[in-house]
Amino acid sequence: MIKKCMFFFLFSGYLFPQNEILIQNISGTEANIPMVYIPSGSFTMGSDKTEMGHFGDEGPKHVVSLDAFWIGRLEITWDLFNLFVSREIDQNQIDKSDDNETNTDVDAVSGATTPYVEMSFGMGIDGYPAICMTQLAAVKFCEWLSAMTGNFYRLPTEAEWEYAARAGSVSAYSFGNEVTQLNEYAWFSENSDEKYHLVGTKKPNAWGLHDMHGNVAEWTLDKYLPTAYMKRKKGVSNPLQESTRIYPKVIRGGSWMDSPKRLRSAARRPSSKKWKRRDPQIPKSKWWHTDAPFVGFRVVRPVKAPSIEEQKRYWNYELIN
Amino acid sequence: MKMKNKNKNKNQTNRKEGESRRSFVQKTALATSALLTIPLGVEAMANVRGDKKLKLALVGCGGRGSGAAVQALTADQNVELVAMADAFGDRIEKSLKGIQEHFDGEKKINIPEKHRFIGFDAYKKAIDMADVVILTTPPGFRPYHFEYAINNDKHVFMEKPVATDPVGIRKVLEMAKVAKAKKLNVVVGLQRHYQSKYIDLKQRIDAGNIGKIRSGQVYWNDAGVWVKKRKPGQSELEYQMRNWYYFNWLCGDHILEQHIHNIDVANWFIGEYPESAQGMGGRQVRNGKDHGEIFDHHFVEFTYPSGAVIASQCRHIPGTMSRVDEVFQGTKGSIEIGKGEITDLEGNSQYKYPKKWGEDANPYQVEHDKLFASIRSGGVISDTENGAKSTLSAILGRMATYTGKKITFEEALNSQLHLMPESLTWDSTPPSLPDTNGNYPIPTPGKTKFI
C-alpha cells in the first residue's frame, strides 16, 4: 500500500518535489515528528579521492541497497527530547495492541539523568535541535518514542543516513559540489554565528529533508570503523556495523561548528570519550556529552518493523559500560 | 594545642628533611604573631614539599567528589588515595569503583576496607590519614569538615558553596585566617577562577576595557537537577541526606548551591561584595513532596558599595528559557561572558575571546593542577575568604527572597540563622520536618522573618 503510494509520488516528482510525509503524534504533547518516506533502492556510498575534502575512511565507493524507511524531516528538538528526559507524559503511552509494531512497556525504558549543567548552553530550546546527548541517550529516546507510540523507531544506520542525505545525488553535497551554495542549505562555521539554529530553516534536499548538512551532526547506529567500506562485498544490502562498545560510533552531516568539508554527504566522524572531558563527575554521565554541543540526531522508522525480539538489538541492550 | 600523637611523630620525623631557610623564615614570622598560636603549619608544609608521596582523602563520595579525586590523582604523579569517607557505605563503593575504572590498574588507589569510613564522624578518620583532603559532601557540613582539616594541617580542595548559614560562614572565615597563617593551600571549586576565558576577560575588565562596571545580569536558568524519591524503610534523616538538594540545612537552596557560580563572577569582576540585596522568589512548579523546602526561582537585585547593581536570576523550571551566563555593562562598554565578547557603547565589537568551544583547558583539572603545584613549590593558594564571601552573597540573596525584605551584607554576616546542627547521629532529628501530609514548611515572603 505504502509502496504504491510512493510510486505515485516518484513519478509525479516534478509536480511534488517532496516525498510523502507522515506525522507522528505523541499523546500528551502537541509536539510531533514529521517523517519522510524514503523508498527502497540502491545508491553509491562513500566518495572518491578526487572529491574535495575526501578522507580515507570514505572509500572505496560501493553500491549499497536498502529497504524502505521513514526518516525524520527535521532533527529532534529539545521540545521533543526533554519529554524523554522529564518522562512527564509517560502515562499517555499507547494501549497495547496486536496492531502495534512494538509493545514495549514505557516504564521499562531507561531514563536519562537530569544534567547539572545547562545543556543547550544558552543557544535556545523551543524549536532548536537537542544536543550533547550520548548515543545511548539518543537510542533510548527512540525506544521511549516506540513505547509511547507503538511504532518501532531507531537511529538510522550510517548507510540509511547517507542514502537519505544524498537524495539521489552523487556530488559532495546533495545540491552539487559548489561550497558557495552551502549557505542556502546549511548552518556551518561560516554562517552559524557560533551557535545552532532553529531546525528546518534552511532549504531541504530533494527528498524534503532539512539540515542533513550542518546545524547539528547526527548519531547513527554504526560503530566507526575506518576500514568498514573496504571489507564490504559487492552489492551489500542494509549494512550495519554492530558493536557492543560505547566508542567509537559514527556521527554524520557535520555541524554549526564545522568547516564545509565535514558537511559532505560522505564525511564520517567517530565519537570519542573526550566528548565528556569537562564532565566533573565520576563516573562520567552515561547520558550526556558535556563537550559535544555539535551532536544531535534524527529518528528512523523502517517500513517493515523487525520482530519484537529483534527490536532490542537496535536499542543498545547489549552495550558494555 | 591539641594534637594527635600520630601526627606529632610524623611531623617530628619530617622536620629534618623539611627544614630550610624558607621554613625558618616562616616560623619566625609565626612566632611574632600575637594572635595566632598555631605552630604546626610549617611542619605540615615541610611534610609534603618536593617529591614526597602525597596522601589524599576523599570526604563526600558523590559524583563530584569522585571526579575531584580523579583530578587530584591526575594532577600530580605521586599522589595516592588513602582514605574515603561518606555517610553511606554504598556511596563509597560506587565512588571507588568509578575511580578505579578511570585509572584502570594504575597504582594510585590504596583503599582497603579499613580505609573506608562510614557515618557522620567518618570525615575525621579519613582526614587524619591524609596530607591533602577533598571536601565534597553536601555544603552544610563544609564548615565543620574544613575546620577539622585546617586544625590538623591539611591542604584542602573543597567544593562550593562552603556553608549554608552565617554561623558556618563565620567559622570558615575564621579558619581562612588560620589556614593562611599555617601556609596551607585551599582551593575552592568556583572553577571559573581557573578557566582561561574568565581569566582573560577579567584582565581586560581590570585594564579598563569597559570602564567601571555599573550594572550586570547573572543567570542560572534551566530545568533543574536530580530528585531522589523517598524509599520504604528510610528514616526521615536518611531520606533528607539522600535527597539533600531540597533541604536548606544541607544544600542552602539552588540560589546558593548552583547560582553561586554566577554571583561569584559578579563579585570577582566588580571587585566588591554586595552591600545589600532585595528580591523575590517562590516555588511555582517544583512544589511536590519530593521537593523539600527550596524555591524553584529567585530574582535578586544586588547593590554593590560602588553603586553597581546586579540583577541575579536563577530558575529550575522545565520548558522555560535556559541561560547560564554573566553580562556586565560599564561606563565605556559591555561584556557578555558566554559570547566572550566586549562591545563599546554603540554595540560595536571590540574584542572576542579567540578560543573556540572546548579549546580551553578543563578548569576542573586546572584547579587541582594549581593546588598540587603550589603544595610542591611551597606556595599558598587562599581561595577560602572569597569562597566564604561569595557563599554569603548567595545566602544574602536567599534571605532577601525568603523574607521579601532588603537585607545588608553586614546583617547577613552577623545573622544568627543556624540551619546546620552542630553534631549529628543517625538518631538525630533533622532540622526540617514534614507535616502530617508529608509537606515541609515553605518560606513565605512577608511572613518569614530575618533571623
Side-chain angles (χ1 to χ4, degrees), chain B residues 78-120:
Chain B
N78 203 8
V79 184
E80 188 176 74
L81 182 63
V82 298
M84 295 171 80
D86 199 283
F88 299 110
D90 60 296
R91 304 294 307 213
I92 295 180
E93 298 311 315
K94 190 179 170 206
S95 169
L96 182 57
K97 187 164 168 272
I99 297 167
Q100 278 166 337
E101 280 173 5
H102 180 90
F103 288 108
D104 198 18
E106 285 178 64
K107 291 172 190 159
K108 290 172 175 249
I109 301 147
N110 177 19
I111 306 283
E113 291 275 349
K114 62 179 183 190
H115 293 194
R116 303 172 205 176
F117 303 104
I118 301 165
F120 288 107

Side-chain angles (χ1 to χ4, degrees), chain A residues 35-92:
Chain A
M35 302 292 293
V36 177
Y37 185 79
I38 306 296
S40 66
S42 57
F43 80 111
T44 303
M45 190 168 180
S47 70
D48 279 332
K49 281 181 188 158
T50 52
E51 184 171 300
M52 186 88 90
H54 166 90
F55 194 73
D57 63 355
E58 297 167 22
K61 289 209 299 196
H62 58 290
V63 174
V64 168
S65 60
L66 291 165
D67 296 339
F69 58 95
W70 302 82
I71 190 168
R73 185 161 69 88
L74 306 166
E75 291 158 344
I76 294 294
T77 58
W78 280 116
D79 321 48
L80 290 159
F81 195 69
N82 282 339
L83 295 169
F84 161 68
V85 176
S86 75
R87 305 295 288 267
E88 281 172 3
I89 60 163
D90 282 16
Q91 73 275 11
N92 296 296

Side-chain angles (χ1 to χ4, degrees), chain A residues 88 114-118 120-123 125-126 194 256-257 277-284 290-291 293, chain B residues 63-64 66-67 70 98-99 102 160 220-222 224-225 257-258 322 324 352 357-358 360-364:
Chain A
E88 281 172 3
T114 312
Y116 185 86
V117 176
E118 195 281 292
S120 77
F121 295 95
M123 294 190 278
I125 302 282
D126 298 342
E194 294 177 53
W256 59 273
M257 297 176 79
R277 197 176 62 108
R278 280 183 295 184
D279 183 341
Q281 310 236 351
I282 290 285
K284 297 195 181 218
T290 43
D291 294 88
Chain B
R64 181 71 268 272
S66 311
V70 164
I99 297 167
H102 180 90
K160 41 44 67 174
W220 196 304
N221 292 343
D222 71 2
V225 300
E257 202 285 330
Q258 198 166 49
S322 287
V324 179
K352 187 85 205 283
W357 196 296
D360 264 358
N362 175 5
Y364 297 104

Side-chain angles (χ1 to χ4, degrees), chain A residues 138-253:
Chain A
V139 162
K140 289 295 164 185
F141 174 89
C142 295
E143 186 183 3
W144 172 82
L145 180 63
S146 305
M148 289 300 291
T149 62
N151 296 327
F152 173 73
Y153 283 93
R154 59 168 170 78
L155 290 179
T157 66
E158 213 188 337
E160 285 166 344
W161 191 94
E162 186 169 330
Y163 179 50
R166 288 188 174 281
S169 69
V170 293
S171 42
Y173 306 99
S174 61
F175 51 82
N177 287 314
E178 289 305 315
V179 173
T180 48
Q181 266 184 280
L182 200 51
N183 185 41
E184 296 170 42
Y185 292 87
W187 295 108
F188 63 114
S189 59
E190 288 163 33
N191 67 1
S192 68
D193 193 23
E194 294 177 53
K195 54 181 187 256
Y196 58 50
H197 290 262
L198 289 169
V199 298
T201 50
K202 290 288 186 183
K203 280 187 189 171
N205 70 13
W207 289 351
L209 306 175
H210 292 267
D211 303 311
M212 294 301 278
H213 302 304
N215 209 21
V216 293
E218 299 174 12
W219 285 112
T220 69
L221 275 174
D222 293 62
K223 169 189 177 181
Y224 175 79
L225 194 62
T227 55
Y229 300 176
M230 292 174 200
K231 296 181 176 177
R232 282 189 190 158
K233 297 194 177 88
K234 266 193 181 165
V236 66
S237 68
N238 300 307
L240 167 61
Q241 202 73 49
E242 286 186 83
S243 167
T244 54
R245 299 271 166 197
I246 295 175
Y247 307 107
K249 294 290 201 308
V250 181
I251 65 166
R252 288 299 209 113

